[in-house]
Amino acid sequence: MDQYYLYVLSVHIIFVVSWMAGLFYSVRLFIYHTEANDRPEIERNILQKEYEKMERKLWYIITTPAMALTVLAGVSMVCIRPWLLQLPWFHVKLGFVLGLLAYHFICQRIMNQLKMGTCKLSSFKLRLWNEVATILLVAIVFTVILKSAVDWVYGLVGLIIFAVVIMMAVKWYKHYRKKHDC
């Protein structure tokens, strides 16, 4: 039974990596899609059609199947080791995973809004949004690796500091781009 768990854990990790790659790249495409609005009409139309195609393929061929297989492998791991549900750190991990699932479906809504031309998010806001997945990933990994309730307080403080640093880096990059794009 332990060997079977390790195989399922391996599959889980593989699909988490695939899912995260899909989320990171999808939002990057959303940024480029949004920035295409500033291009001349002919160029804008070509770019937006191409971004829509890329977003759709990435989303439905890689990102969403990877999310589904991540969840399926995770549920399988809990079925093999149901006592995981009794561990407080596991509840924290599940909370972050639910946040990541919500992030996934909000990204899908953004993709659909971009396709319909109704997305109101600027490329700057999308850059900030892109970092939410990073913050959730860091939170999940540290929760799984540390597993200690005592470390959660420090972990939460560290996560907040990490989030602030990322947001400051995004603002700095925006300032840098404005200064060097002119």
Side-chain angles (χ1 to χ4, degrees):
M1 182 123 105
D2 227 22
Q3 191 72 12
Y4 182 66
Y5 178 83
L6 293 177
Y7 283 114
V8 175
L9 175 61
S10 297
V11 167
H12 182 67
I13 292 169
I14 290 165
F15 285 110
V16 165
V17 170
S18 300
W19 183 23
M20 293 307 301
L23 288 174
F24 290 144
Y25 192 54
S26 290
V27 179
R28 179 58 48 191
L29 287 174
F30 299 165
I31 292 165
Y32 298 149
H33 192 151
T34 300
E35 289 177 347
N37 288 330
D38 299 333
R39 310 304 288 178
E41 185 178 357
I42 294 172
E43 189 178 347
R44 177 179 61 236
N45 291 339
I46 292 169
L47 285 171
Q48 287 183 337
K49 283 182 199 253
E50 193 60 30
Y51 287 131
E52 286 172 21
K53 183 172 89 174
M54 292 168 68
E55 291 160 1
R56 184 181 61 252
K57 285 183 176 184
L58 176 62
W59 196 257
Y60 291 109
I61 296 173
I62 297 172
T63 310
T64 297
M67 178 269 301
L69 291 167
T70 297
V71 171
L72 183 63
V75 169
S76 298
M77 289 165 39
V78 170
C79 289
I80 295 167
R81 293 186 175 173
W83 50 265
L84 285 169
L85 291 172
Q86 298 172 0
L87 303 173
W89 70 265
F90 195 75
H91 295 168
V92 173
K93 177 198 174 190
L94 290 177
F96 287 130
V97 169
L98 288 174
L100 194 57
L101 286 165
Y103 179 89
H104 177 97
F105 291 108
I106 292 168
C107 284
Q108 185 170 341
R109 188 179 74 215
I110 292 169
M111 182 180 70
N112 290 333
Q113 288 173 344
L114 284 166
K115 182 180 177 183
M116 303 294 287
T118 61
C119 184
K120 302 291 184 213
L121 297 173
S122 66
S123 64
F124 176 71
K125 287 180 182 175
L126 286 168
R127 279 185 170 78
L128 290 174
W129 178 248
N130 198 36
E131 300 311 326
V132 172
T134 304
I135 293 164
L136 288 168
L137 176 63
V138 168
I140 291 167
V141 169
F142 272 92
T143 301
V144 170
I145 300 301
L146 296 178
K147 294 182 177 88
S148 172
V150 175
D151 293 333
W152 290 349
V153 173
Y154 298 114
L156 184 58
V157 170
L159 187 63
I160 291 168
I161 291 169
F162 179 68
V164 168
V165 167
I166 284 180
M167 299 308 163
M168 287 172 45
V170 170
K171 281 190 165 241
W172 173 83
Y173 181 68
K174 178 184 179 184
H175 176 70
Y176 176 84
R177 282 185 66 207
K178 278 187 177 181
K179 189 175 179 180
H180 289 84
D181 283 348
C182 296

